[in-house]
Amino acid sequence: MARYTEAQAEAIRRHRQLLDNITVSVPKGERDKYKLQAAAAGMSLNAYIIKLMDDDRERLAEAIELLQSINN
């Protein structure tokens, strides 16, 4: 029995073409800790990592903007 219909499989293939993959290696046992941390925030591990990266990029952009305004 097929897990997905052919139409669903094709939709999944098209969606995956829109994504880049990043592999992160962590010490044994740490992955489960990170998954629990993400779950506590109500997110998947993937969504949690992306949110952390986006938040950090925003924080850095604000810091750079502040430094530029001080230097001008």
Side-chain angles (χ1 to χ4, degrees), residues 31-55:
R31 181 176 187 263
D32 291 338
K33 292 177 187 177
Y34 295 141
K35 284 182 78 171
L36 285 172
Q37 187 174 344
M43 306 172 90
S44 69
L45 182 55
N46 189 69
Y48 190 65
I49 291 169
I50 291 170
K51 181 183 180 328
L52 290 173
M53 295 294 292
D54 288 345
D55 290 351

